Every structure is written in structure tokens, then in C-alpha cells.
Amino acid sequence: MPLVNAPIRIAVAGGNYSGLSAMRELYLQLLATGPDYDGTKQAPPNPNVKITLIDRRDGFVHYLGMTRGLCQSDYGNKLWVPYSSMPWLLHPSISVKKGIVSRIASRHIELADTSDRVEFDYLVVALGLSRTAPIGVAASTRDEYLKDMDKQRALIGNAQSVVVVGGGA
């Protein structure tokens, strides 16, 4: 596909439930436009679109399974899904930038602790919320996450009693 003008730049800030859903929909609507591309096969490159996912982590965290994951290590270890394992995020028109959004301006995002900026024409803000441990995840890499989960499981295992407050949604 020939380049028409400068590519449309779309930034998605936040990569958990809403951000990842937006990324997949952008992939399906703008890049995988043929019937053969459902997210499992790579769609052809499109020089007219550039989509950037910005997240503080290098993977998706399935928070809804966290209470079970704190009790069952085999299940808990599967709750972090690296972005690199999602074929559609590896598309040549998509990039994943690991960083913390510090400022959103009218045409760019600034990242904390760096001079990096992500320029955009369109922006999806899906920053969600932060929870504290043990349900929240402070880790920014899968290795950090696995260490934190092991630590939390040990604390729970060594406790004389456990109180569950609330039943969840």
C-alpha cells in the first residue's frame, strides 16, 4: 500500500482491559481489514497508520483472577500475559512503548524519567486505576510480578488467619 500522506498517528495510553481492547479494535478496523485477519495471523503492513501503545508494564495483568492467583501459584503465574505474546501487537504498524505517562498535551504525550515524547493525531486514554498489593500489581515486568506473587503467597501461607472483606463484583 503506497503512503498517501504522513501516517495517521494514534496513541493508546494504558494497556490493560480498556487499552488492550482499544488496540485490538484499532488493529481489526484499520490494519486487518480483510476477512483472513482475525488477530491470529499478521495483516499486511500499512504505511498510512502508526499505532503506539504506552503502558508502564510489558504485559497485560488479568486482575479479575488475582484472588485465586494469590492462592494457586500455577494459576497466578498465568495472569501476566506479555505483550510480545500477542501476535497482532507485533504488527509493523504497531509499537509498544514501556513508560509512565507524566503529561498529556494537545498533540503529544510525555513520559516520566525520560525526554521521550509520543506524538499523536488521535489519543485513547485508558489509564484505569491503581490498586495496592496484594490485589494491585506494582511490577512493570513479568519477572518482578512473579517475585511479588511468590512473596504475597508466602505471607498468606504463613498467616495465622485470613479475613476476606467484600465479595468482589
Side-chain angles (χ1 to χ4, degrees):
M1 179 176 287
L3 181 64
V4 177
N5 288 314
I8 296 170
R9 301 165 303 171
I10 303 169
V12 177
N16 230 48
Y17 294 107
S18 295
L20 205 56
S21 178
M23 288 294 295
R24 183 161 168 82
E25 198 60 30
L26 288 166
Y27 171 80
L28 291 172
Q29 296 299 318
L30 299 176
L31 300 171
T33 56
D36 296 335
Y37 307 107
D38 59 1
T40 58
K41 291 188 272 182
Q42 201 64 268
N46 183 341
N48 298 308
V49 177
K50 181 182 178 210
I51 306 169
T52 305
L53 172 65
I54 305 159
D55 194 45
R56 66 184 182 92
R57 299 185 185 95
D58 64 8
F60 167 82
V61 179
H62 180 49
Y63 282 110
L64 298 179
M66 196 58 69
T67 50
R68 180 178 170 194
L70 288 166
C71 300
Q72 297 175 334
S73 62
D74 59 330
Y75 183 80
N77 294 347
K78 296 176 189 174
L79 296 177
W80 185 289
V81 182
Y83 294 133
S84 61
S85 71
M86 301 175 197
W88 51 276
L89 280 179
L90 303 176
H91 188 277
S93 296
I94 294 177
S95 62
V96 177
K97 184 142 189 80
K98 188 173 172 231
I100 297 172
V101 173
S102 63
R103 182 173 179 267
I104 298 175
S106 62
R107 302 303 265 174
H108 71 271
I109 294 174
E110 295 174 11
L111 303 178
D113 302 324
T114 180
S115 61
D116 288 356
R117 294 164 58 143
V118 177
E119 307 287 334
F120 63 81
D121 301 306
Y122 299 95
L123 173 64
V124 176
V125 179
L127 295 172
L129 57 95
S130 294
R131 297 174 176 98
T132 57
I135 301 301
V137 176
S140 64
T141 67
R142 187 171 194 279
D143 289 342
E144 290 174 16
Y145 163 78
L146 293 174
K147 287 178 189 172
D148 290 348
M149 287 294 281
D150 287 343
K151 179 181 172 186
Q152 293 298 328
R153 280 191 210 101
L155 290 170
I156 292 168
N158 293 329
Q160 291 181 358
S161 63
V162 175
V163 175
V164 177
V165 178

